[in-house]
Amino acid sequence: MALRPQRGRLRLVEPAAPAAPAAEAQEDMGDAGPAFAPEERGRGEGRRAQDRRSSAATGPADRGTGLAELPDAQLVVLGARRDSGALEQLYRRHVAFAIHLATRIEGSARDVEDIVHDAFLRAFERLDDLVDPAAFRAWLGSIIVHKVRSRMRRARLLGVLGMGKSSEPVDLDALASPAASPHARAQIAQIYALLQTLPADDRIAWILRSVEGHDLETVAQMTDCSLATVKRRISRAQHFLDGHFVDSTSSEVSS
């Protein structure tokens, strides 16, 4: 992770995570074909019974391996039918992404596991509402964004009322790369300290765009608002950071 100036503006960037493997096309089984002739029906039923016995004999590990090879779209369809194996595969496949996203927005790993747990529960309860089953990852991300936003607003309100902390300490170990220099870590800490003073919506939009690297359309989808609104939020946050961020390196050079 590094800080790079772009057109006079500060950007926090990190190499993009490798894209998820492309989903394999589902084999087209075609029509079932003509019905068995009377003299072949017995043998056909025998074969089907044998197939059922073979399937029943297949161990859980073998079935899990088969589910792991399915694309998200098929797992979502199975999960909507309350197939526990499919739900488990969706969780295993996307839990790292979910924790990473929640941590980046929060600025701390504290309570992130609870947020992610609740997000998966809500997603699994509403799988039937997902219009595009292949878009499970982005849909899960939008649920996490909503839950983090709610938590941030509640924490800020409690802070104003004197009933809680106004902000959580920045967790550099969760945010910075292990290879980051002390100077880079100090810059990240300063940026997140400034972000914590912003409205939750502005902060989330800026992080999704400038830290996570999502395009504007994706940020709009994940935050459930218009493209124009997202642009305004990012612009406000960027303007604030430009005006308050102090680059110690630049200060040392100028002096």
Side-chain angles (χ1 to χ4, degrees):
M1 184 186 299
L3 292 164
R4 300 177 185 171
Q6 290 186 1
R7 299 182 182 177
R9 293 186 174 185
L10 183 69
R11 298 290 181 189
L12 178 64
V13 299
E14 180 180 58
E24 297 179 359
Q26 182 180 6
E27 183 181 0
D28 184 4
M29 300 303 293
D31 295 330
F36 287 110
E39 63 272 18
E40 296 178 350
R41 187 181 304 276
R43 290 197 297 271
E45 291 174 351
R47 283 194 295 268
R48 287 196 295 272
Q50 182 178 359
D51 290 342
R52 286 194 296 270
R53 287 193 296 271
S54 298
S55 177
T58 302
D62 294 336
R63 184 173 185 274
T65 301
L67 288 172
E69 296 174 353
L70 295 180
D72 282 356
Q74 289 180 260
L75 291 176
V76 167
V77 172
L78 292 173
R81 300 171 185 167
R82 296 297 174 258
D83 185 307
S84 59
L87 296 176
E88 179 183 356
Q89 286 300 325
L90 285 171
Y91 178 83
R92 290 178 178 273
R93 187 174 296 177
H94 298 289
V95 66
F97 154 78
I99 291 175
H100 172 91
L101 178 62
T103 301
R104 288 296 182 83
I105 298 175
E106 274 279 291
S108 170
R110 180 180 179 181
D111 297 331
V112 160
E113 290 187 1
D114 291 338
I115 293 172
V116 170
H117 175 77
D118 291 345
F120 269 104
L121 282 179
R122 182 163 181 79
F124 289 162
E125 289 170 354
R126 299 180 56 191
L127 284 178
D128 288 331
D129 297 340
L130 184 55
V131 177
D132 180 7
F136 177 81
R137 187 185 185 93
W139 185 59
L140 175 66
S142 67
I143 295 175
I144 290 173
V145 167
H146 174 77
K147 289 192 170 294
V148 174
R149 180 200 292 128
S150 298
R151 184 180 183 279
M152 288 166 57
R153 287 178 170 174
R154 180 176 181 274
R156 189 163 188 170
L157 175 60
L158 291 176
V160 171
L161 297 175
M163 300 171 63
K165 296 181 180 180
S166 58
S167 63
E168 297 288 349
V170 176
D171 186 355
L172 283 176
D173 291 334
L175 296 172
S177 166
S181 66
H183 175 67
R185 291 170 67 89
Q187 288 182 315
I188 294 171
Q190 183 185 173
I191 287 175
Y192 269 85
L194 291 171
L195 288 172
Q196 286 180 342
T197 68
L198 293 175
D201 288 332
D202 292 0
R203 171 180 171 179
I204 290 172
W206 189 88
I207 290 175
L208 290 175
R209 174 62 173 158
S210 299
V211 179
E212 294 299 296
H214 293 297
D215 56 49
L216 293 173
E217 290 77 10
T218 301
V219 177
Q221 292 174 357
M222 294 180 73
T223 55
D224 193 24
C225 64
S226 69
L227 192 60
T229 299
V230 160
K231 290 180 178 178
R232 286 196 299 270
R233 292 174 178 175
I234 295 174
S235 178
R236 283 196 301 263
Q238 187 67 59
H239 180 74
F240 177 80
L241 291 175
D242 289 342
H244 293 81
F245 180 81
V246 178
D247 188 342
S248 59
T249 303
S250 300
S251 300
E252 292 173 359
V253 171
S254 61
S255 60

